[in-house]
């Protein structure tokens, strides 16, 4: 079973683990909002989603971008 992890690229730390790309993308968006809320609108921490400790392949990356787009445009419930 694949596990997806949300990884803080700046501090080289794992933020959370997930069973699907969708939940990892949702966690990434929640984390980004929390950072902005705590530190100001222009603040950010670069994150990446890893699959079993490795970068996502092209198909998984495309799926993650599609899910993020659907959530941000309101086509998928946040």
């Amino acid at each position: 079973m694949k596990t997806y992890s949300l990884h803080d690229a700046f501090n080289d730390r794992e933020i959370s683990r997930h069973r699907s790309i969708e939940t990892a993308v949702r966690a990434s968006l929640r984390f980004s909002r929390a950072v902005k809320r705590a530190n100001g609108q222009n603040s950010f921490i670069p994150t990446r989603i890893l699959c079993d400790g490795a970068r996502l392949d092209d198909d998984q990356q495309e799926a993650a971008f599609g899910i993020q787009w659907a959530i941000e445009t309101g086509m998928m419930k946040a």
Side-chain angles (χ1 to χ4, degrees), residues 18-70:
H18 307 277
R19 286 191 254 174
S20 71
I21 293 176
E22 181 181 347
T23 55
V25 169
R26 289 177 187 276
S28 175
L29 294 172
R30 276 194 318 270
F31 180 73
S32 177
R33 280 194 304 266
V35 167
K36 289 179 186 301
R37 188 172 47 248
N39 301 306
Q41 193 60 30
N42 293 325
S43 61
F44 71 97
I45 295 178
T47 60
R48 68 185 116 169
I49 298 173
L50 303 176
C51 178
D52 294 329
R55 288 184 171 254
L56 298 180
D57 63 23
D58 291 338
D59 293 334
Q60 292 170 326
Q61 189 69 41
E62 188 174 328
F65 285 139
I67 292 166
Q68 183 176 353
W69 176 83

